[in-house]
Amino acid sequence: MLKKLLLVAILTGLSGAVFADETPASPFGLSVTGTAALTSDYRFRGVTQTFNDPAVQAGFVLSHESGAYAGVWGSNVDFGGTAHIELDPYIGYATTLDSFANKPLLDVGLWYYAYPSESDLNWLELYGKLTFKDVLVQGASLLTAVNYTNDFAGLDENGWYVNATYNVPFAAGFGGVASVGYTKVDNYDFSDSGSEDDTYVDWKVGLTYNVKSVSGLTAELAAIGTNIDANAQPYKRGVETGAVFTLNKTF
């Protein structure tokens, strides 16, 4: 039961994958970008995936100038069972909606959460996102996302996740990030108290810094948590608000 409970935090967004600006790498309009990250706690929509231990993460994406893309993202995990690696392939399509004044970016796709040594946890999710530029201040962005699956955590249950994330630049390379998300899953209890809570809210508030001396390197310190009703350890520690530090390098 605990491994399922620790799994149920479906991020962002694309599970934390961040990619650099794309530069055509071939005459076929293709480009390859990627990321490598080290984080003090792999939090997936508010819930730890590593029993609050650190994680090493990496991914890459192959994109076409048409907007189509495909990639894979991976991390170490620990749910108390045999799953120790998460390796997620995904495909999608992104395009700018030029008919709107703000010209938001529309991004839709399929993400497959895969755990090679414990395949009964595997599941597929459909996502759609809209990103708006220069919201409230110059350089700030607002991302809104809706995710759906009919096989939440491999349990054959319908699950929905909606999220809004706001990023704003400050001076001297610093910035701020804030997000809130809402999860609902049919016939599932996120609590460990028998209260039959089939929904929960997650949040994140943090400070970011772009390291000028190293291209593509960013640091983030954030408070991440949920309102899940948990009393027993280690589940309680894995869902309550905690500080998470992450270094991310795009290339």
Side-chain angles (χ1 to χ4, degrees), residues 175-225:
V177 58
S179 72
V180 61
Y182 175 81
T183 296
K184 177 174 174 55
V185 177
D186 294 345
N187 302 311
Y188 196 90
D189 185 6
F190 288 102
S191 75
D192 66 357
S193 60
S195 57
E196 299 183 359
D197 295 331
D198 62 357
T199 66
Y200 79 92
V201 176
D202 69 87
W203 54 78
K204 172 181 174 178
V205 178
L207 184 68
T208 62
Y209 178 69
N210 294 318
V211 182
K212 295 181 180 180
S213 60
V214 182
S215 176
L217 180 65
T218 60
E220 178 185 277
L221 179 62
I224 302 175

Side-chain angles (χ1 to χ4, degrees), residues 7 26 46 57 60 63 67 86 88 94 119 171 179 209 217 222 231 239:
L7 176 64
S26 80
Q57 304 168 338
F60 72 89
S63 303
E86 176 182 347
D88 303 346
S119 60
S179 72
Y209 178 69
L217 180 65
N231 299 306
V239 300

